Amino acid sequence: MTEAALAAPVAAPSVDRERLAAIGFVLPSFVIIAGVFALPLVLLLGVSIVDANGLTFANYKRLLGTPYYLGVVWNSLRLGLLTTLIAFLISYPAAFALARARGALRSVLLATLFLPLAASVIVKAFAWTILLRSDGIVNETLMALGIIEDPIRMIFTETALIVGAVNIFLPFMILPIYAIVAQLDSRYAEAAATLGASPVVTFVRVILPLTLPGIIAGVALVFSLSVSAYVVPTLLIGEKYPTLATAIAKAYLLAREPGFGAAAGVVLLAIAIAIVTLSARLSQEPK
């Protein structure tokens, strides 16, 4: 027998041992993820389609076939879209400014970005209610400057909701973009200018594509957080702007309709999964 033939039977057990060792390392994590994350989602789906009479899709028919609840779904999407768009328009230039800052200025800017993350969403939402109420700082300042004579109603409006949501979720847009911008090589723009590209062409053809991964990550984060927000719309606009998150809370806590609440949760989860999946596909580099 040749040496290759003698060595072949010995290699197989080694490969099997490596495979078993890899499975042994992965299995505990898989069990934890399945038990803590996947199983509750399966149970949520089961509650939404099973009642005392058996299999039913009445909860989904009510949620997606009723004009009122279609409006609720649209409110959630609208909140997510507007918050994400405004946060992006603010965050993109802010990320460049942060990346180009040096020394103590960068440290101060990073501190102002990270410190709000240490505060609870509830605290920040309540802070906006204090700022925007009739006797709040904003109205008092405008009246002191003579811009208005009487207080303007700001709280419990869609404007207050969007402003508060953008402020609360803004760091989650700036940080991913900043992480990419900070790694950009300035020689790319210089090379484009040397080849005759205008600043606009350089930005569209060079800078924007290079920062696209950070944009996609920030958009996915902010949209997922804002579309499922509960505290922010509850405190800043109340019952005037029902969302899927508030509908879920009412179904479980007030109406005692766990099936309907679970259906709304599944729809909200499906929206989040769709955004994350789309973001993952967009972030893949073309082969």
Side-chain angles (χ1 to χ4, degrees):
M1 299 178 66
T2 63
E3 293 182 1
L6 291 173
V10 178
S14 176
V15 174
D16 290 340
R17 284 197 297 269
E18 291 178 0
R19 186 175 300 170
L20 289 174
I23 294 174
F25 280 114
V26 172
L27 189 60
S29 299
F30 177 79
V31 172
I32 292 173
I33 292 174
V36 175
F37 182 72
L39 182 59
L41 294 181
V42 172
L43 294 175
L44 183 72
L45 178 61
V47 172
S48 69
I49 59 175
V50 177
D51 62 8
N53 299 320
L55 187 65
T56 178
F57 293 97
N59 293 315
Y60 290 96
K61 183 178 180 180
R62 176 184 170 191
L63 180 63
L64 301 176
T66 306
Y68 173 78
Y69 286 109
L70 284 176
V72 170
V73 175
W74 169 242
N75 284 345
S76 297
L77 293 173
R78 177 181 171 85
L79 174 60
L81 291 171
L82 289 176
T83 301
T84 303
L85 177 61
I86 297 173
F88 168 71
L89 294 176
I90 297 172
S91 298
Y92 198 76
F96 276 88
L98 184 60
R100 282 162 173 68
R102 294 292 181 269
L105 178 59
R106 175 181 284 190
S107 300
V108 171
L109 293 176
L110 286 173
T112 59
L113 187 62
F114 280 104
L115 285 177
L117 295 177
S120 165
V121 174
I122 298 176
V123 172
K124 288 182 281 190
F126 266 120
W128 275 107
T129 64
I130 295 172
L131 288 171
L132 299 178
R133 63 190 184 188
S134 298
D135 58 346
I137 297 175
V138 176
N139 269 311
E140 293 289 343
T141 302
L142 292 176
M143 288 190 293
L145 295 174
I147 298 175
I148 59 175
E149 296 182 359
D150 299 313
I152 299 175
R153 182 180 179 183
M154 298 180 181
I155 197 65
F156 299 125
T157 63
E158 187 177 1
T159 300
L161 172 63
I162 299 301
V163 169
V166 169
N167 171 261
I168 290 170
F169 299 124
L170 192 63
F172 298 99
M173 180 70 77
I174 295 179
L175 289 174
I177 299 176
Y178 165 71
I180 299 296
V181 171
Q183 301 176 31
L184 284 182
D185 193 333
S186 60
R187 289 176 295 181
Y188 288 129
E190 294 173 1
T194 302
L195 294 173
S198 66
V200 175
V201 173
T202 300
F203 173 76
V204 174
R205 299 293 297 274
V206 179
I207 303 300
L208 186 61
L210 290 175
T211 57
L212 193 59
I215 295 172
I216 293 172
V219 166
L221 279 172
V222 173
F223 184 84
S224 299
L225 291 170
S226 56
V227 78
S228 59
Y230 171 70
V231 172
V232 178
T234 299
L235 293 180
L236 294 182
I237 199 170
E239 300 290 336
K240 294 175 59 178
Y241 199 94
T243 62
L244 280 171
T246 57
I248 293 169
K250 286 183 180 179
Y252 275 101
L253 301 177
L254 300 177
R256 304 297 182 183
E257 296 177 333
F260 183 74
V266 170
V267 171
L268 188 57
L269 179 64
I271 293 172
I273 291 175
I275 293 300
V276 172
T277 303
L278 179 61
S279 301
R281 295 196 63 176
L282 291 175
S283 62
Q284 291 177 354
E285 296 183 0
K287 297 181 179 179

